[in-house]
């Protein structure tokens, strides 16, 4: 007999887990289907010997102190009934936007950023303050917000193009599906979550968040099946009936909430999951390579104490798919030891993570041997980048790893290894098929906190209220 659920959630990443917890918490019969053998999706983890690694996590955004009311982090913890203390959050020390002719530092105290701008762009500080006020008053999470580009709005307030480029740099690389610009609602989400709130890291990294979510999901009686790849969303008369798994299993349900991504979800509603047509949602252009270096000393031992550096070698920030395998003229450099606490890392060691924008198609067509050679080349370039960011760098490398867009595609199923999803977002989560909804990146909220909020809001709207 085929099993029947109220709702099937596709994907055990941040958004899928959060959605399923909400549904199970209110007595819905819910099952998560995850094609991988691990939770986390784009934000997963692995272990090599004694060293534990996070795949995605540089920093969790949206830091606010315990007890702060009506902010995304506290709202989501309340909805999931997870205590703030359980995350054991450690705040960033400071981050830097580093361009050739200027640097701007920011911390979790917004006044530091405001003062930096007042000192380095004094002619723009009044305009910046007006822009901040406009951002603070904007309702970025309204599900009926229209899509329009953020740089057009920013230019109405700020005239200095260098300042606009610098403000946009961290927000683009940490959350834009669009090249060189972003949807204004998404810009406001990112501005608030990075500059007005801030960066933190749970002690134990992403495992801590995932373990809390899994414990909660088990406690509320939800089901999860690993190695369960959905190859078809079954529907008739444009209404969802169930799903088919790769091994042929059919599961029935009234509703499906999918975190696979917009084009990826629509592809499994067709007869052949590989076929997409011109009406299919766009596959997002942005993907990344990342190098991870374990060092024989901590960054502070070579005189470096910023947590994250947004590094760029020209006055304009070229946030776009490069025409080469990867673009090492800009990078995000994350030094996880430079959060306030780093006692969950191997004692005495340091870690540096360098992220570059990358071209999926060029990586995809490489033969294995050449692919490995280019990964080595990327690692060497990433060490050069660290030396430019931290001139005192003199550490030895104890362990190295590199992942590319093809790694991201293999482990998450996102077409072309896209990280911030399609530019065709569905803000209210509704697809053309009744009972099939999106959550996560392609609903429009991304990052760790954003994805969880997306799962919660889609479960509340489509699974509990309807
Ligand atoms: C390198 C990198 C660094 C990042 N750094 C940060 C950071 O520092 N801070 C931050 O907040 N965010 C960061 N992010 C972004 C963040 O990871 C994502 O925005 C967020 O995790 C997205 O969650 P999601 O639930 O929308 O999607 P996903 O995590 O992609 O989850 C989708 C899940 O669906 C599963 N799935 C796909 N297809 C199928 C199928 N057919 N059947 C069954 N299951 C399927 C996948 O395996 C996956 O588990 C980073 C991402 C990357 C890649």
């Amino acid at each position: 007999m085929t099993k029947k659920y109220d709702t099937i959630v596709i994907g055990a990443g941040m958004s899928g887990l959060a959605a399923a917890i909400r549904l199970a918490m209110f007595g819905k019969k819910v099952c998560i289907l995850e094609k991988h053998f691990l939770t986390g999706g784009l934000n997963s983890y692995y272990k090599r010997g004694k060293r534990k690694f996070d795949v995605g996590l540089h920093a969790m955004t949206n830091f606010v102190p315990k007890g702060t009311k009506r902010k995304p982090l506290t709202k989501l913890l309340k909805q999931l009934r997870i205590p703030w203390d359980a995350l054991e959050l450690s705040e960033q020390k400071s981050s830097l936007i580093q361009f050739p002719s200027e640097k701007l530092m920011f911390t979790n105290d917004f006044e530091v950023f405001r003062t930096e701008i007042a000192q380095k762009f004094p002619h723009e500080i009044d305009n910046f303050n007006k822009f901040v006020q406009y951002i603070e008053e904007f309702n970025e999470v309204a599900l009926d917000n229209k899509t329009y580009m953020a740089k057009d709005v920013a230019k109405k307030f700020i005239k200095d193009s260098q300042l606009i480029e610098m403000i946009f740099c961290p927000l683009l690389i940490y959350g834009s599906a669009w090249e060189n610009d972003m949807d204004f609602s998404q810009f406001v989400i990112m501005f608030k979550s990075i500059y007005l709130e801030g960066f933190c890291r749970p002690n134990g990294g992403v495992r801590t968040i995932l373990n809390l979510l899994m414990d909660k999901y088990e406690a509320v009686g939800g089901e999860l099946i690993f190695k369960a790849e959905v190859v078809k969303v079954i529907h008739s008369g444009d209404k969802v009936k169930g799903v088919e798994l790769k091994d042929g299993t059919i599961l029935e349900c009234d509703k499906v909430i999918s975190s696979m991504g917009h084009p990826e979800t629509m592809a499994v509603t067709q007869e052949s999951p590989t076929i997409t047509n011109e009406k299919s949602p766009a596959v997002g252009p942005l993907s990344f390579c990342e190098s991870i270096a374990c060092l024989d000393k901590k960054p502070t031992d070579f005189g470096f104490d910023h947590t994250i550096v947004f590094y760029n070698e020209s006055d304009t920030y070229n946030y776009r798919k490069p025409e080469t395998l990867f673009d090492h003229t800009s990078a995000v450099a994350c030094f996880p030891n430079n959060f306030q606490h780093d006692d969950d890392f191997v004692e005495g060691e340091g870690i540096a993570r360098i992220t570059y924008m990358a071209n999926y198609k060029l990586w995809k067509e490489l033969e294995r041997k050449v692919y490995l050679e280019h990964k080595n080349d990327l690692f060497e370039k990433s060490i050069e980048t660290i030396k430019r960011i931290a001139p005192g760098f003199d550490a030895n490398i104890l362990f190295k790893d590199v992942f590319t867009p093809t790694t991201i595609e293999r482990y998450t199923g996102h077409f072309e290894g896209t990280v911030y999803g399609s530019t065709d977002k569905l803000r209210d989560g509704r697809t053309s098929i009744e009972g099939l909804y999106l959550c996560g990146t392609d609903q429009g909220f991304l990052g760790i906190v954003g994805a969880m909020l997306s799962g919660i809001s889609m479960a509340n709207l489509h699974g509990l209220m309807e």
Side-chain angles (χ1 to χ4, degrees), residues 30-281:
V30 52
C31 182
I32 304 178
L33 303 171
E34 168 54 56
K35 71 179 226 171
H36 201 33
F37 53 84
L38 272 179
T39 55
L42 284 167
N43 235 300
S44 200
Y45 56 89
Y46 63 99
K47 197 173 173 201
R48 292 285 176 276
K50 62 183 175 181
R51 300 186 180 94
K52 293 174 175 175
F53 298 96
D54 290 328
V55 176
L57 180 87
H58 285 182
M60 211 168 98
T61 55
N62 300 87
F63 176 82
V64 283
K66 186 178 177 178
T68 311
K69 298 258 187 296
R70 290 183 291 280
K71 292 292 176 192
L73 180 60
T74 37
K75 271 200 251 180
L76 94 82
L77 292 174
K78 194 171 166 199
Q79 289 266 317
L80 298 178
R81 298 182 195 156
I82 293 175
W84 193 93
D85 289 329
L87 285 170
E88 294 181 56
L89 295 177
S90 171
E91 290 186 64
Q92 68 164 330
K93 288 182 181 165
S94 58
S95 290
L96 197 67
I97 307 163
Q98 180 172 341
F99 276 46
S101 53
E102 204 50 273
K103 291 180 186 175
L104 288 173
M105 187 176 77
F106 62 96
T107 66
N108 290 357
D109 174 1
F110 183 66
E111 294 314 311
V112 171
F113 193 43
R114 206 195 292 274
T115 306
E116 283 275 290
I117 290 176
Q119 284 172 356
K120 294 174 179 171
F121 295 89
H123 52 289
E124 287 286 12
I125 187 60
D126 292 341
N127 295 335
F128 176 73
N129 283 335
K130 283 183 198 137
F131 190 33
V132 174
Q133 192 184 345
Y134 183 76
I135 290 167
E136 282 178 315
E137 287 165 5
F138 187 83
N139 179 11
E140 68 280 11
V141 292
L143 297 181
D144 56 356
N145 279 353
K146 299 275 174 289
T147 298
Y148 51 92
M149 290 296 118
K151 280 192 179 165
D152 292 337
V153 184
K155 282 177 195 161
K156 288 184 186 152
F157 292 86
I158 297 171
K159 302 292 165 242
D160 190 319
S161 58
Q162 167 90 92
L163 179 57
I164 292 185
E165 293 292 305
M166 294 185 84
I167 291 171
F168 269 73
C169 168
L171 314 187
L172 290 169
I173 188 89
Y174 269 178
S176 179
W178 289 262
E179 291 182 313
N180 286 320
D181 208 339
M182 66 204 300
D183 162 50
F184 186 66
S185 297
Q186 182 61 20
F187 170 85
V188 175
I189 292 176
M190 300 304 294
F191 192 99
K192 289 181 179 174
S193 66
I194 292 177
Y195 295 136
L196 292 173
E197 291 161 21
F199 289 140
C200 58
R201 179 178 179 277
N203 190 23
V206 79
R207 285 171 181 78
T208 302
I209 309 173
L210 292 169
N211 289 342
L212 285 167
L213 294 175
M214 282 301 287
D215 289 350
K216 182 59 70 177
Y217 188 52
E218 274 173 36
V220 292
E223 276 183 60
L224 189 159
I225 311 176
F226 285 115
K227 303 205 77 140
E229 179 175 348
V230 174
V231 291
K232 194 189 270 185
V233 172
I234 304 163
H235 55 100
S236 73
D238 277 338
K239 178 156 182 12
V240 157
K241 298 282 176 213
V243 301
E244 181 179 335
L245 303 185
K246 197 174 181 184
D247 67 3
T249 307
I250 308 268
L251 298 169
E252 290 180 23
C253 61
D254 295 329
K255 291 175 183 175
V256 172
I257 298 183
S258 168
S259 67
M260 292 166 65
H262 191 180
E264 295 83 350
T265 301
M266 295 326 286
V268 294
T269 63
Q270 301 172 0
E271 284 310 304
S272 161
T274 52
I275 297 173
T276 51
N277 58 43
E278 69 276 12
K279 279 201 238 137
S280 302

